[in-house]
Every structure is written in C-alpha cells, then in structure tokens.
Amino acid sequence: MNWLPHITVATVIEDQGRFLLVEELAEGRAVFNQPAGHLEADESLLQAAIRETLEETGWDVELTGVTGIYLYTAPSNGVTYQRVCFAAKALQRHPELALDEGIIGPRWLTRDELAAQPERWRSELVLRCIDDYLDGACFPLTLIRDPA
C-alpha cells in the first residue's frame, strides 16, 4: 500500500468577532472552510498560508501564531491530511484579484453563525480550528522551522 499524507495549511482570521471564511464548491455543494490549501514545492508553510489566503479571499494577512497541527482523514475519499493552522490578522483586501477556481467568495461569519450550519462545513476541522483559537491556542511562529 502506498500511503501518502497531504500537507495543508489554513488560517484563522478574526476581526471584531467575525472570522474570514471561504465559501467554495466541494463535491457539487457550497461549503465553508478556512482559507486553506496544499503546500507547494519549494514553499515554506508560512508562505503557503499567506499565498492560499490571498488566492482564496483576496486578503493580505499577517501570520501571528500557530493555532494547531491536525491530522484528518476525509471520510469521503479516505485521504489523510496534515493541516497546520495559523492565526492571522487581515491587513488589506484586493477586490480586483480573481479568486481560485471553485471559490464562491470570502465570507465573514461569527462562530455561532458557522456553528449553526454544520452541514455546510468542509470538514469538522473548520469549527475545531476556530474553537482552538478562541480557547487561546496560539504558539509562536518560531515553532515552524524552515530548512537551514
């Protein structure tokens, strides 16, 4: 068996009690997720988080910490993902940027608005990352070590 985990990044971005989420199409339905995506070759985890957030939301962000590292196996396809989730603050929106294919658009929701719609979560990691952030999980960015 050839098992290959997928390394992904995500960002939790809060502004005045609302969280920047991505409404996107997944398996033919509109779902909510953090700005998230796959690590690309020759890219650091920090660079990937900033890039994915911009590509999916049109927002520049500043990473402020690491919220958590999660292992998740999607029940729909059996693929295992290792997600490194960052906390970030929104800096500037670029409304003129075209968003990634499949993205409906950025959405600002409260935790309660998101929690009321579990059928619209991309995975249970969406709310878990926000809850971990709200519980104070924030490790220094120096936790992430780039190759020397």
Side-chain angles (χ1 to χ4, degrees), residues 8-11 19-24 26 30-37 56-57 83 103 105-107 109 114 120-127 129-130:
T8 62
V9 294
T11 55
F19 294 90
L20 180 59
L21 298 165
V22 174
E23 186 176 14
E24 61 187 345
V31 296
F32 293 121
N33 197 8
Q34 271 87 30
E56 293 192 353
T57 69
R83 172 188 266 205
I103 302 293
R107 304 290 183 256
L109 298 176
L114 180 63
R120 303 237 9 239
W121 303 344
R122 177 80 186 250
S123 77
E124 60 263 19
L125 288 180
V126 178
L127 191 63
C129 289
I130 288 174

Side-chain angles (χ1 to χ4, degrees), residues 8-75:
T8 62
V9 294
T11 55
V12 172
I13 303 140
E14 180 193 14
D15 185 33
Q16 299 179 31
R18 295 194 174 281
F19 294 90
L20 180 59
L21 298 165
V22 174
E23 186 176 14
E24 61 187 345
L25 294 174
E27 300 173 10
R29 62 188 191 96
V31 296
F32 293 121
N33 197 8
Q34 271 87 30
H38 292 263
L39 178 68
E40 294 182 356
D42 300 318
E43 180 176 55
S44 75
L45 291 166
L46 302 169
Q47 291 167 335
I50 291 167
R51 175 188 53 77
E52 285 290 352
T53 302
L54 181 62
E55 290 176 354
E56 293 192 353
T57 69
W59 278 90
D60 285 325
V61 296
E62 177 185 342
L63 302 179
T64 59
V66 178
T67 302
I69 300 171
Y70 306 84
L71 198 60
Y72 174 74
T73 301

